[in-house]
Amino acid sequence: MKIFSGVFKKVALFTLFLIPMLSTLSFGQNISVTATVDKNRLTLEDVLQLSIVIQGTQNTPPPELPSLPDFRITSAGTSSSTQYINTQRSVSITYNYRLTPMNTGTIVIGSARVRANGKTYSTQPITIEVLKPSKRQSAESKAAFAEATLSSKKAYIGEQLVYTFRLFHRVEAKNLDLKLPFDKIWFDKEELGEPNAYIKVVNGLQYHVQELSIALFPLKKGRLKIPAAIIELDLLHKTQNRSRQDPFSRFFGRRTQAEHKILRSQPISIEVLPLPDGAPKGFKNLIGQFRISAEVGKRDLEVGDTTTLTVTVSGQGNVRDISFEEPDLRNYFKIYPDKPEFSQTVQNNQIRGEKVFKFALVPLEAGNRTLPKFSMAYFDSANAQYRITETRPISLTIRPSSIKEELNLVQSGQQNLPMVKPEIETLGTDILPIYTELDKFQNNGSYSSAFIAAGFGSPVVLFIISAFLIKRQNRMKYDMAFYRRRNAYKNASQRLKQISEHSDLSAPKEFARELSEILREYIGDKLNLQGKAITAEEVEARLKESHYEPGQAEGTRRLLEKCETLQYAPMTRGSTKELLGESEKMIKVLEKQS
Amino acid sequence: MKHALAFFLFLVLTLSTSLPTEASDYLNEIVRANGLYAEKHYAESAQAYESLIDKGVQNGYLYYNLGNAYIRMGKTGPAVLNYVRALKWIPRDENLEANLKFAIQQTRDKIELPPPGTLNVLLFWVHDLNFHELVVFTIGLNIIFWVNLALWMYFPFLKVVRNALLCFLFLSFVSIGVKIKNESDLKLGVVLAENVEVKSGRAGDAVTLFQLHEGALVTVTGKHDNWLEIRLNDEQKGWVPQNSLGT
């Protein structure tokens, strides 16, 4: 048993030695977590840097910070490092936080917890002392300080107050972050423009001043405290770190050192008073100083003309809340309101502005009219009493309309007409009577298809006829061959008639020559040839070419030869008549064939 | 050519001046029926109007007066039916519109006329003109177009007018087509019976889908034997006996 107990002890000792060795080998390093701060004593103007360093691993979730109601915490990033010392690798990660103290006193920063490799590691608590800023220093040589002022410590509900925050700094200030303390339940606020920057001497020291003003309108009565405004900033201090003997140090030796500061203004107490009783009729929570004015575009106008009534309310206070109801002039004018125009300026940190109400007035009746005074009730906060500002009456001369036409203006359905037409009550309904005019009772039996066909077809037919006639007329005008062919028979007939009536049959040679000419001209017109110049054989040939019957062509040739023969041979009276008749017959035959 | 022209003129004049025969008898009957109505003998008056219609007279005012007579008799079904018939002839008549509205209000179902389709909204004038007016208008436009076409051969600047007239003529023909389609497809029917059961099929023992009452306006979509297929809307349709409906 002793042998066994001796061996057991050795194994146990070996195991005790081996376990840490194995753990080191398996996890590389021991994990340790430490929390550090950059200082243990600070003022409300300072910022505390809290660093939580986790050694042995870099793969951890962010630390769980303890509850710190006395600080405002902002993350300042993380940093990690890896080191090799004698082949030993060590890693760490640092989580940085910026803690802004909100209260003075001794404050304990509790343990922060870190979870790594399934274990939870905790830091040691740290005790911090937060002091008030040194008054001596602020009064004398502070690099920067802040202050806030209120235009009045006592105000009525709705009265305009001006809250002014000023930052005084002697060194360059960067990364300004201002947090104003207003509660929406207590105040309605309105910006008063961009911040002002100027230089001011305080206790003989020159400061740069950044000034921001805000208009505040109290919403509730009571005594309240406006908390301090907080501004965070970086002050850039310039330091000289090189020897004064170094000639370059004058130019290159200055170094800038940033100091993160939190500056607070003093809280301000204010008493908000309710508005006193006795508000006049028409008072609509206007608080400040206001005046009202009115003017019209034209004072002399006709019925139906338009003039513009402009009512301007201007002043200092809650100008945005100004409202003006449409004047009651409906018995004499039609009124068309325009959209109010609003403008606002900031003068001496006070909101001033005006609201312009315009109404188009159209007179309904002729006569001299006086627009009544328009008034506006407000509470004069400076003198703590209600006041009424009013316009002067405005006289208008309205002449009858020069246009003899009934005024017929369109008016919005939302507006009430001065003379509302009484609604006629329906007492009963019935059908409308029968028709008795006999001309209405023509039988409307359907149209026959012949009528419809004629109605649609006849214009087409008439058009075709017209088109044919027009085309023919155009051809007669421009186609000479067509013209000659169409008029050949007519001309020949006329000339044959003339020759039979007027020619001297006692001169047979002349008669035969003229007859031959008529025949040749007829054939020339028909065939578009120079008829007088062609021979009888040519006439026959041309007629045959033009598809005349060969017999007729030959007959024509013979007739022409006969005429030529007779011009040189004696003729009797009877033979001339026979020749004339033969020619007429021949022309008719040819005409039929053409 | 002159003969052809004369023939066509004769044809057109002959056809366009055809008048109804026995016009005086017809007008005397109208006067008599109107007189009966004035004397509040509405039943006799309605009978006189009906007899004229039976003789083949087709006149919107005659249907209107007949509708009035039936309204006075308290028969909203025939009244609505004759007003609807009158609409075919005198679609723009304001009195007719008012009386039809009144008659529909007297019915139990109070079914209004079906709204016009998209094509009828686009060709809005088709609703306001009866078929005869559309035809006469188109014939007139047709004549103007062809005359213009002939003139255009002389005066080429009339080309724009020619094209415009062609468009109008085309539109008129389309309008006639739409009118014909409307009158053939959208056949309105009016319930004449006091109460009619709309069945799911063409049999008396078929399921009753819904009930209609006298004067109800329906669209007749089909006919089979003695049954008419009717439709109120996309969902409500069925069959009714033919004798219960006037078309």
Side-chain angles (χ1 to χ4, degrees), chain A residues 432-433 435 440-442 444, chain B residues 26 58-59 64 68 93 99:
Chain A
L432 293 163
Y435 285 101
K440 290 185 182 294
F441 289 92
Q442 294 296 333
N444 295 332
Chain B
Y26 158 64
Q58 291 185 318
N59 182 280
Y64 170 88
N68 273 19
D93 192 87
N99 284 9

Side-chain angles (χ1 to χ4, degrees), chain A residues 416-429:
Chain A
N416 296 320
L417 291 168
M419 295 175 67
V420 180
K421 196 175 176 183
E423 195 173 321
I424 296 167
E425 189 184 357
T426 304
L427 299 173
T429 55

Side-chain angles (χ1 to χ4, degrees), chain A residues 518-556:
Chain A
I518 290 168
L519 281 169
R520 285 168 200 277
E521 271 192 14
Y522 171 75
I523 291 161
D525 284 346
K526 274 290 177 188
L527 304 177
N528 196 24
L529 300 169
Q530 285 298 322
K532 287 180 183 176
I534 54 174
T535 62
E537 286 78 14
E538 282 176 336
V539 166
E540 185 188 1
R542 291 297 177 92
L543 284 172
K544 282 179 179 173
E545 282 172 17
S546 302
H547 307 295
Y548 280 84
E549 281 183 15
Q552 301 301 331
E554 286 170 15
T556 308

Side-chain angles (χ1 to χ4, degrees), chain B residues 117-138:
Chain B
T118 312
L119 201 59
N120 287 281
V121 172
L122 288 173
L123 305 176
F124 55 90
W125 57 88
V126 172
H127 179 263
D128 290 340
L129 297 172
N130 66 34
F131 181 75
H132 284 195
E133 287 168 335
L134 271 176
V135 169
V136 169
F137 177 77
T138 308

Side-chain angles (χ1 to χ4, degrees), chain A residues 429-448 450-452 454-463 465-470 473-474, chain B residues 1 5 8 12 15-16 26-27 30-31 34 37 49 57-59 61-62 64-65 68 71-72 89 93 95 98-99 102 132 136 138-139 142-143 146 149-150 153-154 173:
Chain A
T429 55
D430 196 8
I431 54 170
L432 293 163
I434 60 167
Y435 285 101
T436 53
E437 301 89 343
L438 291 179
D439 59 322
K440 290 185 182 294
F441 289 92
Q442 294 296 333
N443 190 356
N444 295 332
S446 58
Y447 296 123
S448 65
F451 171 77
I452 293 172
F456 287 113
S458 59
V460 182
V461 174
L462 288 172
F463 169 75
I465 295 167
S466 307
F468 176 75
L469 292 172
I470 290 164
Q473 196 177 1
N474 284 339
Chain B
M1 194 61 68
L5 189 67
F8 274 106
V12 170
L15 292 169
S16 62
Y26 158 64
L27 292 178
I30 290 283
V31 171
N34 288 350
Y37 183 94
Y49 291 131
V57 177
Q58 291 185 318
N59 182 280
Y61 298 100
L62 187 59
Y64 170 88
N65 283 3
N68 273 19
I71 280 280
R72 292 289 184 225
W89 301 98
D93 192 87
N95 287 10
N99 284 9
F102 178 87
H132 284 195
V136 169
T138 308
I139 286 174
N142 184 53
I143 293 168
W146 289 103
L149 200 64
M153 289 193 292
Y154 273 110
F173 278 115

